[in-house]
């Protein structure tokens, strides 16, 4: 059995990386305001995104967009957005996360499709791609600073997360159908072993399998399937069964490489003599590294949306420019993911990913796959009585067509825990 660690922006934030949507937007306006303050008073200010007729210069106080708005108004001048998408996301108070930005892009695309706004698709893509480029530059700077301060990521913090990544399977987390299948397969092996040993003993031989003998002694020689299943889900199951994942895949939805902190399973193992999982990593949305041939994918990925078929029917490829499922074909990452989930039964751990609809196509492929046995969210504990477990689960449900599978596979909160 295998495991997928599904990593989102919350994983970077848990490591102190300032990679949230608000971090990026605040940084943009802080830097822009500094440029304005250094521009000659009452002269034209213009960059790639905005234009101010008469620069307020030193009269501009503060570092936020709200501060800039007030100063422009007091100076009786005008601020014009050259990048309409930046204007929209700056003024949208409901935008909290990167998934909301991607959702906003898709909503605008559909409004353009229906001719509800004057914005055209080529200008939307141009503005959106300009923001993506700025984001890439910003994340490179953040990652460089993080690399310089790696010593501040304490061994304790790494240990907490690392041990969760590489912990043994707990079969009580698994769906009923998966547990039944695993128990039936184990039961067949035990029955076959007992029968072969009986035949060998009659002929004066027989090799004892100590691991199987331990299980038989525990559940009884009648080999009760019910007792076997109960043992497999117990707290002492690891004493009788191999519960170390054969392979662990870190599926990173971020553009940063925080996952490299956890690429050595032995570092987080409680027992250096036990079997070690084989670890691999896929940056499914690319990276900021221009030399790794894995370009950033930023856009929308919900082929299950009812309007998507209308978009595909258009004879205009501009509408598909930032559709993730198409851009996945630019690299081998998606194929590697499919190979992994096709290879064996797997469990999904969710670390800091909202599971929003902007990744719905991919998440549906993973979550509803026949080999998916369990989906376990590691939630963010905001304070003593406040966490985001329910928010994650509601988002997960939107990625399922088969709700019965969803209820069976998603691990209930009593078996879940905070990420850090």
């Amino acid at each position: 059995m295998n495991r997928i660690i599904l990593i989102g922006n919350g994983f970077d934030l848990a490591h102190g990386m300032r990679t949230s949507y608000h971090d990026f937007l605040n940084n943009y306006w802080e830097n822009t305001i500094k440029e304005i303050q250094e521009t000659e008073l009452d002269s034209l200010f213009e960059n790639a995104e905005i234009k101010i007729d008469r620069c307020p210069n030193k009269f501009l106080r503060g570092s936020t967009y709200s501060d800039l708005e007030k100063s422009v108004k007091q100076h009786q001048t005008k601020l014009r957005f050259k990048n309409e998408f930046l204007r929209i996301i700056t003024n949208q108070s409901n935008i909290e996360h990167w998934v909301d930005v991607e959702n906003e892009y898709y909503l605008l695309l559909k409004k353009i499709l229906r001719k509800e706004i004057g914005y055209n698709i080529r200008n939307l893509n141009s503005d959106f791609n300009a923001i993506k480029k700025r984001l890439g530059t910003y994340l490179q700077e953040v990652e460089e600073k993080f690399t310089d301060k790696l010593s501040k990521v304490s061994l304790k913090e790494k240990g907490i997360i690392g041990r969760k990544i590489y912990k043994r399977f707990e079969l009580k987390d698994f769906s009923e159908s998966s547990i039944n299948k695993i128990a039936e397969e184990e039961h067949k092996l035990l029955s076959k072993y007992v029968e072969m040993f009986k035949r060998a003993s009659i002929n004066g031989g027989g090799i004892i399998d100590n691991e199987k003998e331990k299980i038989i002694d525990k559940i009884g020689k009648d080999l009760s399937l019910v007792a076997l299943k109960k043992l497999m889900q117990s707290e002492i199951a690891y004493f009788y069964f191999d519960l170390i994942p054969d392979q662990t895949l870190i599926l990173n939805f971020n553009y940063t490489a925080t996952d490299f902190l956890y690429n050595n399973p032995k570092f987080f193992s409680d027992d250096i003599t036990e079997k070690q999982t084989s670890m691999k990593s896929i940056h499914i949305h690319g990276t900021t590294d221009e030399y790794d041939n894995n370009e950033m994918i930023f856009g929308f990925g919900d082929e299950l949306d009812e309007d998507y078929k209308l978009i595909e029917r258009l004879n205009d490829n501009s509408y598909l420019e930032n559709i993730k499922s198409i851009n996945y074909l630019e690299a081998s990452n998606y194929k590697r993911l499919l190979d992994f989930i096709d290879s064996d039964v797997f469990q999904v751990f969710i670390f800091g990913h909202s599971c929003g609809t902007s990744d719905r196509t991919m998440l549906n492929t993973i979550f509803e796959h026949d080999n998916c046995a369990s989906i376990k969210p590691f939630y963010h504990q905001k304070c003593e009585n406040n966490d985001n477990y329910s928010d994650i689960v509601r988002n997960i449900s939107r990625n399922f067509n088969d709700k019965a599978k969803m209820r069976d596979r998603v691990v209930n909160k009593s078996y879940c825990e905070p990420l850090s």
Side-chain angles (χ1 to χ4, degrees):
M1 295 188 293
N2 299 327
R3 176 177 289 150
I4 295 176
I5 312 294
L6 201 154
I7 287 178
N9 185 232
F11 187 80
D12 280 359
L13 298 179
H15 288 80
M17 295 186 76
R18 302 183 64 84
T19 56
S20 73
Y21 161 69
H22 287 296
D23 288 329
F24 165 73
L25 199 62
N26 290 340
N27 177 265
Y28 171 81
W29 288 114
E30 285 173 14
N31 290 335
T32 299
I33 286 172
K34 286 178 184 177
E35 292 175 15
I36 294 170
Q37 289 170 334
E38 294 170 359
T39 303
E40 185 178 346
L41 181 65
D42 287 335
S43 64
L44 172 70
F45 174 83
E46 184 175 10
N47 65 10
E49 293 82 28
I50 68 169
K51 180 189 291 187
I52 299 174
D53 293 343
R54 292 171 49 242
C55 182
N57 190 289
K58 62 183 179 180
F59 297 105
L60 173 53
R61 297 287 184 267
S63 60
T64 69
Y65 175 67
S66 179
D67 295 325
L68 177 57
E69 274 190 311
K70 290 176 185 176
S71 181
V72 165
K73 186 176 181 180
Q74 289 170 356
H75 207 62
Q76 297 182 336
T77 186
K78 288 186 178 180
L79 185 157
R80 295 181 175 86
F81 278 85
K82 297 163 62 179
N83 187 310
E84 178 66 6
F85 189 74
L86 177 63
R87 183 192 70 78
I88 291 168
I89 62 173
T90 297
N91 287 294
Q92 284 274 35
S93 59
N94 64 322
I95 292 182
E96 293 288 332
H97 309 287
W98 286 115
V99 64
D100 300 324
V101 176
E102 293 177 318
N103 286 340
E104 188 62 35
Y105 169 81
Y106 190 58
L107 288 173
L108 289 169
L109 187 148
K110 291 197 290 186
K111 286 180 180 179
I112 292 170
L113 173 67
R114 298 188 185 106
K115 299 183 172 18
E116 295 176 359
I117 54 177
Y119 213 179
N120 68 57
I121 186 60
R122 284 162 185 78
N123 287 342
L124 171 61
N125 284 338
S126 177
D127 290 347
F128 183 77
N129 291 334
I131 298 299
K132 181 173 82 170
K133 186 175 180 180
R134 276 212 176 252
L135 172 62
T137 300
Y138 172 73
L139 292 178
Q140 282 179 326
E141 295 171 356
V142 170
E143 198 159 17
E144 286 173 7
K145 291 177 183 177
F146 178 76
T147 304
D148 292 340
K149 297 177 181 178
L150 268 181
S151 58
K152 292 189 177 181
V153 179
S154 71
L155 291 176
K156 181 180 179 182
E157 290 172 313
K158 281 179 62 179
I160 290 171
I161 294 176
R163 279 191 290 274
K164 289 173 182 174
I165 290 175
Y166 294 111
K167 71 188 300 185
R168 297 181 181 94
F169 289 120
E170 295 178 280
L171 295 182
K172 64 183 181 181
D173 293 342
F174 281 38
S175 67
E176 279 300 307
S177 57
S178 297
I179 294 169
N180 289 336
K181 184 178 179 181
I182 294 167
E184 287 168 5
E185 289 176 355
E186 186 67 31
H187 189 264
K188 286 179 183 177
L189 291 175
L190 288 172
S191 301
K192 186 176 181 180
Y193 164 74
V194 170
E195 186 61 32
M196 289 177 64
F197 191 78
K198 283 180 181 177
R199 288 201 302 267
S201 297
I202 292 172
N203 296 324
I207 300 174
I208 294 176
D209 186 322
N210 291 325
E211 296 302 316
K212 287 185 172 57
E213 288 291 338
K214 281 196 301 184
I215 299 172
I216 294 168
D217 287 344
K218 186 67 178 178
I219 66 173
K221 296 190 183 300
D222 62 339
L223 299 184
S224 164
L225 181 59
V226 173
L228 176 62
K229 183 179 172 183
K230 184 177 180 181
L231 178 62
M232 295 180 83
Q233 296 178 83
S234 71
E235 297 294 329
I236 58 172
Y238 69 89
F239 184 69
Y240 298 92
F241 306 99
D242 175 13
L243 298 178
I244 303 297
D246 297 316
Q247 297 183 76
T248 298
L249 169 66
I250 296 183
L251 186 64
N252 196 338
F253 282 70
N254 301 327
Y255 309 109
T256 50
T258 325
D259 52 298
F260 82 92
L261 293 170
Y262 303 97
N263 60 9
N264 185 1
K266 291 182 180 180
F267 185 84
F268 303 100
S269 173
D270 294 328
D271 182 357
I272 60 173
T273 62
E274 71 181 8
K275 162 190 165 185
Q276 298 294 331
T277 184
S278 170
M279 187 272 182
K280 59 182 68 175
S281 180
I282 296 176
H283 279 255
I284 197 68
H285 284 164
T287 72
T288 60
D289 186 349
E290 60 181 315
Y291 299 108
D292 69 355
N293 296 316
N294 194 9
E295 292 188 9
M296 286 175 59
I297 295 175
F298 187 46
F300 199 76
D302 184 8
E303 294 175 354
L304 303 179
D305 179 71
E306 292 179 1
D307 290 321
Y308 184 75
K309 285 184 171 54
L310 296 176
I311 293 169
E312 279 197 322
R313 290 191 196 110
L314 292 173
N315 190 26
D316 189 343
N317 287 341
S318 299
Y319 283 86
L320 302 175
E321 185 174 321
N322 289 300
I323 299 299
K324 289 179 180 178
S325 55
I326 293 174
N327 290 326
Y328 288 145
L329 300 176
E330 296 288 337
S332 63
N333 295 324
Y334 194 74
K335 178 63 167 63
R336 290 166 59 205
L337 170 63
L338 294 179
D339 288 343
F340 187 88
I341 64 178
D342 285 341
S343 66
D344 200 357
V345 172
F346 62 89
Q347 178 182 41
V348 179
F349 279 3
I350 297 173
F351 285 10
H353 196 295
S354 68
C355 296
T357 54
S358 71
D359 290 313
R360 189 177 177 196
T361 299
M362 178 175 294
L363 295 181
N364 173 264
T365 299
I366 297 170
F367 293 167
E368 290 203 340
H369 195 283
D370 288 343
N371 282 338
C372 181
S374 168
I375 302 167
K376 187 169 187 174
F378 287 74
Y379 53 84
H380 173 51
Q381 189 72 51
K382 300 174 184 177
C383 57
E384 186 177 353
N385 297 312
N386 188 11
D387 60 66
N388 70 339
Y389 172 84
S390 292
D391 287 335
I392 298 172
V393 170
R394 288 171 192 145
N395 287 341
I396 289 172
S397 72
R398 295 187 181 98
N399 294 289
F400 273 90
N401 291 319
D402 188 331
K403 302 304 181 184
K405 280 186 179 179
M406 184 273 293
R407 289 186 289 272
D408 193 24
R409 294 178 179 183
V410 177
V411 179
N412 69 73
K413 189 176 181 181
S414 63
Y415 291 163
C416 293
E417 58 187 299
L419 174 57
S420 59

